[in-house]
Amino acid sequence: MAFELPALPYGQSGLEPVMSEKTMGFHYGKHHQAYVNNLNSLIEGTRFANASLNDIVMESEGGIFNNAAQVWNHTFFFESVTPGGRGEPGEELARAIDRNFGSFEKFRDEFGKAGTTLFGSGWVWLVKNATGMLDIIQESNAGNPLRKGLTPVLTLDVWEHAYYLDYQNRRPDYIKAFWTIVDWQKVGNRYLQV
Amino acid sequence: MSFKLPSLKYEYNALEPHIDARTMEIHHTKHHAAYTNNLNAAIENSDMAGMSIEKIMAGISKYPVAVRNNGGGFYNHNLFWEIMSPDGGGKPAGELLDAINSSFGSFGAFSDEFSRAAATRFGSGWAWLVRTDNGLVVSSTPNQDNPLMDIADVKGTPILGIDVWEHAYYLNYQNRRPDYIEAFWNVVDWNAVSEKFHG
């Protein structure tokens, strides 16, 4: 069964002015769609033809991995944000952030720094390890923390296609704006899930 | 002595419509300038201060990652501006064409392989035509690595390169990297490439 591009939980102009409608049109409508299409054609006739997306992300290499992980990452990213942002980290996540990073501000600074210093294309992740500890990691290109046994909680796309039409070389401005659209309700719920 | 951002031998709008003026200006004054400044900061007070960029590249495995990233970015963009011209396009001639024919069979076979290397480089990076001890080779490198670096899979002297970081084409071509690559051939300065081939 072929994978399909998941519907966006908001309109393509919903994240303005943080991410413009034009950016979303390409990012979701072209890039995300292309990863889905490429994945479907690459897995045809392979042992991944009927596998779940998670299994493909965990077990594949090369072009299949790149496209599968990019489908996964973009879906997770677009579900991490919402027009105007929502709520605050719930009690449990807020406590974990304080415990692991000192304060919410320190967490935000560290996550933002990971975003600005990631060289080339990639993703910044807030992840939970097996003992419930939080960490911030950088992944190049299509990298996905599931491969390291970590549970993703929040992610930020720092491929240039995510922000170049709106911010050009000013990646730090994009990251600063990102915080205003994070769906903390969603992110907090992810943290609570095992 | 520190490295300096070179000025271009043509105007920012000179490569239009293949590469637009806004892309050129941001690419040169922001991205390339940042690599240059960051490189200078990274080598200050080190044994690399005063070395040629080529020598730094050749020993890159010994140096901090900031030198690899920013030194590569400095060198690669220098080369990129040099091998393009508003009077570019067409085909090489003379010994360079002979060498391309000898290594790839034909100019068309070479340009197909180069375009494919550029299109299939996943993420950010460069595709290259490299002069090696075994003739001309097409390769690609991630991020700001290049064939001069002692860590490169294909080592040699780059004589042609295309930047396939999204910042090189996104304002004009967005997700259509293959269209950018096709347009690039119209601005390749084969005289400049030939000089590097003989250099």
Side-chain angles (χ1 to χ4, degrees), chain A residues 28-189:
Chain A
Y28 171 73
K30 301 293 183 184
H31 292 280
H32 198 182
Q33 179 74 65
Y35 293 127
V36 170
N37 296 347
N38 292 343
L39 176 62
N40 283 330
S41 59
L42 286 169
I43 59 176
E44 215 177 300
T46 74
R47 71 183 178 98
F48 296 114
N50 293 303
S52 71
L53 186 60
N54 274 54
D55 285 350
I56 302 175
V57 167
M58 289 300 284
E59 295 166 21
S60 62
E61 303 294 338
I64 294 183
F65 171 77
N66 286 342
N67 286 285
Q70 286 294 76
V71 172
W72 200 104
N73 296 352
H74 281 92
T75 302
F76 193 83
F77 175 60
F78 289 136
E79 287 176 355
S80 299
V81 290
T82 192
R86 178 157 47 196
E88 291 174 5
E91 203 177 311
E92 303 271 346
L93 176 58
R95 211 160 39 221
I97 286 176
D98 285 347
R99 197 166 55 233
N100 286 275
F101 303 103
S103 69
F104 182 76
E105 286 66 34
K106 283 182 183 160
F107 152 71
R108 208 172 47 188
D109 288 351
E110 195 176 319
F111 189 95
K113 193 170 166 216
T116 51
T117 59
L118 193 159
F119 193 71
S121 303
W123 300 80
V124 181
W125 300 86
L126 175 64
V127 293
K128 185 171 80 164
N129 70 15
T131 61
M133 294 283 285
L134 292 173
D135 200 3
I136 293 167
I137 62 169
Q138 299 171 321
E139 292 282 349
S140 288
N141 294 338
N144 182 298
L146 293 172
R147 298 278 288 223
K148 297 173 174 162
L150 300 166
T151 304
V153 179
L154 171 68
T155 195
L156 172 64
D157 188 349
V158 293
W159 282 59
E160 289 176 321
H161 67 230
Y163 61 86
Y164 212 78
L165 296 178
D166 299 328
Y167 301 90
Q168 296 85 47
N169 60 303
R170 302 184 308 281
R171 192 191 283 184
D173 292 352
Y174 159 68
I175 295 173
K176 193 172 162 198
F178 165 74
W179 294 115
T180 66
I181 55 169
V182 173
D183 186 344
W184 284 110
Q185 192 176 312
K186 181 96 184 189
V187 175
N189 286 339

Side-chain angles (χ1 to χ4, degrees), chain B residues 13-32:
Chain B
N13 65 5
L15 304 181
E16 291 198 343
H18 310 294
I19 302 180
D20 64 286
R22 183 160 177 245
T23 293
M24 286 296 297
E25 181 167 4
I26 296 171
H27 204 172
H28 182 238
T29 65
K30 303 295 182 185
H31 294 280
H32 196 184

Side-chain angles (χ1 to χ4, degrees), chain B residues 17-159:
Chain B
H18 310 294
I19 302 180
D20 64 286
R22 183 160 177 245
T23 293
M24 286 296 297
E25 181 167 4
I26 296 171
H27 204 172
H28 182 238
T29 65
K30 303 295 182 185
H31 294 280
H32 196 184
Y35 292 127
T36 308
N37 294 338
N38 293 340
L39 170 64
N40 285 328
I43 63 172
E44 205 178 356
N45 302 320
S46 79
D47 63 333
M48 288 169 280
M51 262 186 211
S52 72
I53 189 66
E54 289 82 2
K55 188 163 182 211
I56 294 174
M57 298 290 99
I60 205 68
S61 60
K62 300 194 295 276
Y63 301 131
V65 68
V67 178
R68 173 177 169 181
N69 291 342
N70 293 293
F74 171 73
Y75 176 90
N76 296 347
H77 287 89
N78 285 359
L79 180 139
F80 188 53
W81 310 135
E82 286 170 12
I83 56 84
M84 294 193 291
S85 160
D87 306 315
K91 280 170 64 168
E95 290 178 40
L96 174 57
L97 182 60
D98 293 344
I100 285 175
N101 287 334
S102 156
S103 293
F104 301 98
S106 67
F107 178 75
F110 151 69
S111 61
D112 285 352
E113 186 176 338
F114 185 92
S115 291
R116 195 164 50 243
T120 57
R121 164 52 54 186
F122 187 72
S124 301
W126 294 73
W128 305 99
L129 177 61
V130 190
R131 196 185 70 212
T132 75
D133 295 340
N134 302 310
L136 294 174
V137 177
V138 164
S139 75
S140 82
T141 52
N143 294 335
Q144 296 296 354
D145 289 356
N146 65 48
L148 291 179
M149 293 182 175
D150 58 359
I151 51 169
D153 291 334
V154 173
K155 292 182 207 38
T157 304
I159 64 172

